[in-house]
């Protein structure tokens, strides 16, 4: 987040109530969700510390329609954003971290950059994934998928 911060300081920020009071829902996501809630099963899969995951789940339950929430706690030996523990075969995975996409078995992997150029969301040349900037772009991919459901399998 900021050069010189320790991982403990970063964890404390992401576990704080104040952090989640400042986070606003993405209106473009809500539009995509409303358009496709009957076409796809939406599942939030996220990683973090126990405290961070508890706050995230509470935030999602407060701000979004009901859908499954899967929190993957960081291992004791450090942060890992690996989500390959979940079966995503034939699924579409959307993530802002390239390392969360690389090890999964999702049939379609989408890296959402949100206009950022940071180490964790830079595309990897050899990776088999789609790179988009925002939820409007994702909406277009999902629109296409509804029309041509077997294109990515």
């Amino acid at each position: 987040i900021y050069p010189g911060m320790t991982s403990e300081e970063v964890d404390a920020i992401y576990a704080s109530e104040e952090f989640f009071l400042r986070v606003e829902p993405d209106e473009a996501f809500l539009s995509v969700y409303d358009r496709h809630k009957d076409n796809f099963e939406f599942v939030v899969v996220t990683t973090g510390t126990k405290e961070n995951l508890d706050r995230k789940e509470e935030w999602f339950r407060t701000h979004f329609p009901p859908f499954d929430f899967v929190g993957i706690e960081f291992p004791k030996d450090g942060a890992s954003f690996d989500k390959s523990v979940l079966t995503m075969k034939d699924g579409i995975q959307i993530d802002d971290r390239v390392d969360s996409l690389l090890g999964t078995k999702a049939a379609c992997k989408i890296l959402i950059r949100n206009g950022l150029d940071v180490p964790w969301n830079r595309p990897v040349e050899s990776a088999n994934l789609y790179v988009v900037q925002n939820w409007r772009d994702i909406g277009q991919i999902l629109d296409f998928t509804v029309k041509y459901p077997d294109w990515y399998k």
Side-chain angles (χ1 to χ4, degrees):
I1 293 180
Y2 186 78
M5 287 185 76
T6 67
S7 61
E8 291 81 14
E9 291 170 322
V10 172
D11 289 347
I13 289 170
Y14 285 126
S16 71
E17 183 177 355
E18 181 181 356
F19 175 80
F20 285 96
L21 290 174
R22 295 173 182 254
V23 176
E24 295 290 329
D26 186 327
E27 294 298 324
F29 165 77
L30 293 173
S31 174
V32 169
Y33 176 80
D34 285 343
R35 196 163 71 238
H36 289 292
K37 63 186 172 194
D38 296 326
N39 301 322
F40 300 95
E41 177 185 358
F42 285 78
V43 178
V44 173
V45 179
T46 186
T47 56
T49 63
K50 170 85 169 93
E51 296 80 14
N52 170 259
L53 293 172
D54 290 345
R55 295 234 189 250
K56 280 182 188 177
E57 184 171 15
E58 178 184 341
W59 187 88
F60 275 98
R61 301 252 181 258
T62 301
H63 290 88
F64 290 108
F67 42 75
D68 290 340
F69 180 94
V70 178
I72 302 172
E73 192 171 344
F74 289 147
K76 299 296 181 207
D77 58 353
S80 169
F81 296 90
D82 183 16
K83 296 178 182 171
S84 64
V85 297
L86 297 171
T87 303
M88 295 188 204
K89 186 176 181 298
D90 295 333
I92 298 172
Q93 181 182 352
I94 303 162
D95 213 298
D96 66 344
R97 292 192 64 97
V98 72
D99 54 347
S100 293
L101 291 163
L102 295 178
T104 69
K105 294 177 178 47
C108 178
K109 301 173 186 186
I110 302 172
L111 176 65
I112 182 170
R113 300 209 58 210
N114 286 315
L116 298 175
D117 184 25
V118 291
W120 64 83
N121 83 345
R122 287 188 185 125
V124 176
E125 192 172 315
S126 63
N128 183 19
L129 52 88
Y130 295 91
V131 180
V132 300
Q133 289 302 316
N134 53 49
W135 276 99
R136 282 179 286 288
D137 295 343
I138 293 169
Q140 291 176 347
I141 292 172
L142 297 181
D143 292 343
F144 186 84
T145 303
V146 169
K147 192 170 182 178
Y148 306 101
D150 294 326
W151 74 269
Y152 67 91
K153 296 178 186 178

